[in-house]
Amino acid sequence: MTLTWHFLRVALGVVLLMGQALAAPVEVELVIYEVPELLWQAKFEGQFQEQPALKKRLDEEMQAGGLKQILAVKGAVAEDQPWIWRQGQEQEFAEGWETPEKPPAIPASRKKRFVGSAVELRHEGLTEGGRLLVSLKLEHHLNPPKMRRISYANAATGAEREKLSVEYPQFDQIEWVGKLAVWQQWRKVTSVLRLSGSEAGLGSAMRYVVFIKRL
């Protein structure tokens, strides 16, 4: 009995040491705002020295109906376990085409690609100031992929041109990959401007602003 109890105490001590070696998971929140560019330039651009103040002002404007929050997710990242969040699905697209003399063209290869929203956070240690250092991989599709038809016979016209063409996807998305320190105040990750068309003015442009915070 004494020997068995000794082994149990040793085993319990090992478990406790392992638990002390691995820090508790840290909760993190990430949000994305969609802001009309004219509104951004009028009320936000260059007007806030502190990022938490900018975040607070965006929330106030959102309550007033001037902008939208299009993504808000929370998760816990641990030293040995990343936080991976996804909302969407895999879709298959042709990566290349074989174009024989007689149509139709044949896909040379196909590849699945995730379409939707995805956030991946990995624990990378602590900064010299004791802040949590994480690697972030963010992907957010603003719209479903659009298929763009491209002719591979420049001399063809009309219905013949339509036959001698293939489709490639166009993706409208926000992407960000990198390392950053997070703490218990909001910090801006990135700000991305999207125009609605090559000839469109700022009246229809949107800015997407990403914030992150340790809870």
Side-chain angles (χ1 to χ4, degrees):
M1 293 293 292
T2 303
L3 188 60
T4 302
W5 173 242
H6 173 72
F7 284 139
L8 286 173
R9 291 179 61 187
V10 171
L12 180 60
V14 170
V15 170
L16 289 174
L17 286 173
M18 291 176 65
Q20 292 172 1
L22 296 176
V26 177
E27 276 198 287
V28 177
E29 183 174 3
L30 182 141
V31 299
I32 303 177
Y33 294 94
E34 181 184 67
V35 188
E37 180 61 14
L38 289 179
L39 176 66
W40 174 264
Q41 292 190 8
K43 294 188 176 182
F44 299 100
E45 181 69 35
Q47 299 190 30
F48 294 90
Q49 296 295 324
E50 300 295 330
Q51 295 179 20
L54 171 60
K55 170 71 168 56
K56 180 180 178 181
R57 184 67 187 89
L58 285 166
D59 285 334
E60 291 171 351
E61 190 67 36
M62 181 178 66
Q63 295 297 323
L67 57 93
K68 295 190 297 184
Q69 189 180 87
I70 60 172
L71 186 68
V73 291
K74 297 179 183 179
V77 57
E79 290 182 9
D80 61 337
Q81 186 66 45
W83 170 46
I84 300 175
W85 178 88
R86 281 188 167 197
Q87 187 176 65
Q89 61 183 354
E90 298 280 346
Q91 296 185 25
E92 190 175 74
F93 301 96
E95 281 201 305
W97 294 85
E98 295 177 2
T99 54
E101 293 183 8
K102 293 184 179 182
I106 303 170
S109 62
R110 291 185 176 274
K111 184 178 180 180
K112 287 187 176 181
R113 174 166 176 169
F114 176 78
V115 177
S117 302
V119 180
E120 180 176 327
L121 276 172
R122 294 184 180 273
H123 194 293
E124 298 290 348
L126 299 175
T127 67
E128 292 183 358
R131 291 175 173 175
L132 176 67
L133 182 65
V134 298
S135 59
L136 169 64
K137 183 178 180 181
L138 168 67
E139 182 177 4
H140 178 73
H141 288 250
L142 301 170
N143 296 290
K146 293 182 179 179
M147 302 305 295
R148 179 186 179 190
R149 186 162 287 277
I150 302 173
S151 175
Y152 59 86
N154 294 331
T157 59
E160 192 64 22
R161 184 177 179 85
E162 185 71 14
K163 290 180 183 178
L164 301 175
S165 63
V166 295
E167 286 188 333
Y168 281 98
Q170 286 186 312
F171 299 100
D172 184 13
Q173 68 202 63
I174 298 170
E175 290 185 292
W176 196 91
V177 179
K179 292 183 180 181
L180 71 166
V182 296
W183 57 94
Q184 291 172 323
Q185 284 187 331
W186 289 104
R187 68 164 296 180
K188 187 174 71 174
V189 177
T190 187
S191 173
V192 181
L193 176 63
R194 282 286 187 272
L195 301 176
S196 60
S198 58
E199 298 180 358
L202 293 182
S204 55
M206 289 290 179
R207 182 170 294 272
Y208 297 89
V209 192
V210 183
F211 280 86
I212 195 169
K213 175 185 178 181
R214 174 178 177 173
L215 300 177

